[in-house]
Amino acid sequence: MTPTRIKISADGRFFTDQDGRPWFYLADTCWLLFKRATMKELDEYLQDRAAKGFTVIQAYVIRGLGETDPDGNTSLIGAVPFQDRDPNRPNEDFFRHVDEVVARANALGLVMALVTAKSWHVPGGRECCFDEANARTFGAFLGNRYRDRAVMWLPGGDSAPAQADAVWQAMARGLKEGSGGRHLVSYHGDWVTSSSEWYHGADWLDFNTIQSGHTWESDNYAFVSVDRALSPAKPTVDIEPSYENHPVGGRLPIDSHKVRTQAYTAMLAGAAGHGYGALDLFCFFKDADGPFPRGGGGWKELAFQHWRTACAYEGAAQMGLMRKLFETRPWWKLVPGQSLMASYKGEGNQRRTAARAADGSFMLAYLPEGGTVTMRGLDVLTGSEVIASWFDPRTGQWKEAGRFKKTGSLSFEAPTSGEKDDWVLVLDAQPSSRS
């Protein structure tokens, strides 16, 4: 069912739709969607993402005040966001375009998670136009204009609050006022941070967002675990993990295996969903008018790919498979459970992770490199037997692993093992076959 409004569950751990049904946050990142896509391209992109299983599109509302942004991106819609760069004077031509994009996304069942403005536009930024007063007015303008749309808001603009703290908070409160409290609000912080570092206790912050970083070493387990332990309970999502095909200091760019490890690690650590991104798609790169010199400038280690090529990266489709796996079971009941693994757990970005359902119905373990895992504490599962299966996160295929008497511990060997051979062990509680 198409969501019309996103809410927070009663226990504060996950998102629901307007009718209280658990809703899985699975985001694709296209930060420049409002400025770089024609309507034909927009429809093609949105239909592709909906078909792959994404539920959210993350994009910027304001990223640059002129025709050309400070990072070199050129707007293709021929309209700047503000008249005379004044947030109190929104340009109706620009926002009519935003209206249409949001409407088309919502019609496909996609919720828009919108970063209100880039950090360039607050105190300390190179194109500062916001102060505390007009930030609140602009927040209220956005909240009211999209009050009846499926939208979530992310002030922060990829930055720490620093000297702009009062401005970002004013914008967040304006968003709440404008939407009449209908829209959820978080904060999009900078590199290797979570919004909880600054605003977990803020009355306007409904959920936390993490930017775990675009490196091979990026490890979101600690961020999710910290957010999960905070009070009051609020959902947390890594909205900026490592982007697929992102350059990493002369090394091979980020691949789909790295993308998968972060997604499964985050979910089993207690996240309420996950974000995905590809660098080429975030800027909606086109061969003829790319925002950066192809293979030049500060990106010498990477030749950008066309946005359509980036749409087909295998990691994107595998995020949809990840969502399908979790939605085969009541994933919102999962409780992190590293102690369930009696064998080697790995560490850092190759950490093995495990979780169990609070009602004892199932248990999951993610192995980034396959191999053997010994699971203990099986008494938390209901019934007297366990059905074991392996899920291949690369293909979405299942392999049966047998039915077992529920004992103190059981060992399971993945179908394959290797540097990129990740597998998910699924243990389902079952009554005895002789009962």
Side-chain angles (χ1 to χ4, degrees), residues 41-55:
E41 291 169 335
L42 172 75
D43 288 339
E44 181 181 347
Y45 165 73
L46 293 176
Q47 289 165 11
D48 177 88
R49 284 1 224 173
K52 284 185 168 66
F54 289 99
T55 61

Side-chain angles (χ1 to χ4, degrees), residues 11 14 228 267-270 325-326 328-338 340 353-365 375-383 406 425-430:
D11 65 0
F14 58 93
R228 172 91 182 186
M267 289 304 301
L268 295 182
L325 165 63
F326 281 97
T328 60
R329 288 157 178 80
W331 58 270
W332 58 93
K333 297 180 180 179
L334 283 171
V335 178
Q338 290 299 91
L340 297 171
T353 45
R356 61 176 179 83
D359 64 0
S361 59
F362 70 103
M363 186 181 292
L364 300 176
M375 303 297 293
R376 63 186 172 194
L378 300 181
D379 56 313
V380 300
L381 296 175
T382 58
K406 192 175 71 175
L425 175 66
V426 182
L427 302 178
D428 288 306
Q430 292 291 319

Side-chain angles (χ1 to χ4, degrees), residues 9-180:
S9 64
D11 65 0
R13 296 297 185 192
F14 58 93
F15 301 104
T16 74
D17 67 11
Q18 61 278 359
D19 297 316
R21 288 182 290 260
W23 177 79
F24 197 105
Y25 186 112
L26 181 60
D28 186 43
T29 303
C30 194
W31 290 135
L32 302 179
L33 185 62
F34 293 124
K35 301 185 72 171
R36 299 278 299 156
T38 66
M39 281 302 176
K40 183 178 179 181
E41 291 169 335
L42 172 75
D43 288 339
E44 181 181 347
Y45 165 73
L46 293 176
Q47 289 165 11
D48 177 88
R49 284 1 224 173
K52 284 185 168 66
F54 289 99
T55 61
V56 178
I57 303 297
Q58 299 175 164
Y60 269 86
V61 180
I62 309 298
R63 188 181 173 106
L65 303 180
E67 282 295 311
T68 300
D69 296 352
D71 63 2
N73 303 115
T74 301
S75 172
L76 302 181
I77 66 171
V80 295
F82 304 129
Q83 299 177 56
D84 299 326
R85 301 196 171 198
D86 180 357
N88 288 317
R89 301 176 64 199
N91 183 351
E92 187 62 19
D93 288 342
F94 179 90
F95 283 98
R96 273 199 299 266
H97 178 74
V98 174
D99 297 346
E100 184 63 22
V101 175
V102 172
R104 293 189 187 199
N106 285 177
L108 291 170
L110 296 164
V111 174
M112 297 299 292
L114 299 179
V115 181
T116 50
K118 182 68 174 167
S119 57
W120 304 326
H121 308 312
V122 296
R126 63 186 108 169
E127 283 190 346
C128 180
C129 64
F130 285 109
D131 56 31
E132 192 171 347
N134 64 26
R136 190 161 191 153
T137 299
F138 181 62
F141 164 79
L142 291 176
N144 181 63
R145 189 173 185 115
Y146 302 102
R147 175 190 292 251
D148 296 323
R149 291 296 183 185
V151 171
M152 308 164 83
W153 297 107
L154 301 168
D158 195 19
S159 66
Q163 68 194 75
D165 169 67
V167 171
W168 289 127
Q169 293 216 55
M171 194 177 291
R173 292 193 168 91
L175 289 162
K176 284 292 187 182
E177 292 165 2
S179 72

Side-chain angles (χ1 to χ4, degrees), residues 144-397:
N144 181 63
R145 189 173 185 115
Y146 302 102
R147 175 190 292 251
D148 296 323
R149 291 296 183 185
V151 171
M152 308 164 83
W153 297 107
L154 301 168
D158 195 19
S159 66
Q163 68 194 75
D165 169 67
V167 171
W168 289 127
Q169 293 216 55
M171 194 177 291
R173 292 193 168 91
L175 289 162
K176 284 292 187 182
E177 292 165 2
S179 72
R182 287 179 58 85
H183 293 160
L184 301 183
V185 177
S186 186
Y187 183 88
H188 178 33
D190 61 355
W191 184 268
V192 195
T193 63
S194 169
S195 57
S196 64
E197 296 182 26
W198 309 289
Y199 297 127
H200 184 78
D203 57 0
W204 52 262
L205 189 128
D206 299 298
F207 63 102
N208 282 305
T209 61
I210 297 162
Q211 181 178 177
S212 61
H214 311 305
T215 69
W216 284 105
E217 291 74 30
S218 179
D219 178 15
N220 55 19
Y221 178 84
F223 285 104
V224 176
S225 298
V226 168
D227 284 359
R228 172 91 182 186
L230 295 175
S231 181
K234 296 183 178 183
T236 189
V237 180
D238 186 358
I239 65 167
E240 272 208 59
S242 296
Y243 287 159
E244 195 164 8
N245 200 41
H246 195 292
V248 186
R251 299 162 62 185
L252 290 174
I254 297 297
D255 65 9
S256 60
H257 178 260
K258 175 63 179 177
V259 167
R260 297 192 303 273
T261 62
Q262 288 192 281
Y264 285 94
T265 295
M267 289 304 301
L268 295 182
H274 194 63
Y276 165 84
L279 188 71
D280 334 63
L281 193 53
F282 125 55
C283 58
F284 218 77
F285 181 83
K286 305 179 186 184
D287 290 334
D289 56 5
F292 300 110
R294 191 178 181 92
W299 308 90
K300 293 179 181 179
E301 60 269 58
L302 177 70
F304 274 69
Q305 302 298 309
H306 192 279
W307 68 267
R308 288 191 180 94
T309 301
C311 273
Y313 287 162
E314 61 184 16
Q318 290 164 350
M319 292 300 93
L321 299 179
M322 182 267 294
R323 176 190 163 200
K324 285 183 179 179
L325 165 63
F326 281 97
E327 290 189 336
T328 60
R329 288 157 178 80
W331 58 270
W332 58 93
K333 297 180 180 179
L334 283 171
V335 178
Q338 290 299 91
S339 64
L340 297 171
M341 294 181 290
S343 53
Y344 173 69
K345 297 182 179 64
E347 58 185 14
N349 60 350
Q350 290 300 308
R351 181 187 289 102
R352 293 177 165 192
T353 45
R356 61 176 179 83
D359 64 0
S361 59
F362 70 103
M363 186 181 292
L364 300 176
Y366 174 71
L367 313 183
E369 298 179 342
T372 300
V373 63
T374 300
M375 303 297 293
R376 63 186 172 194
L378 300 181
D379 56 313
V380 300
L381 296 175
T382 58
S384 58
E385 295 187 343
V386 174
I387 291 180
S389 307
W390 289 101
F391 178 79
D392 186 340
R394 292 151 289 169
T395 67
Q397 299 298 306

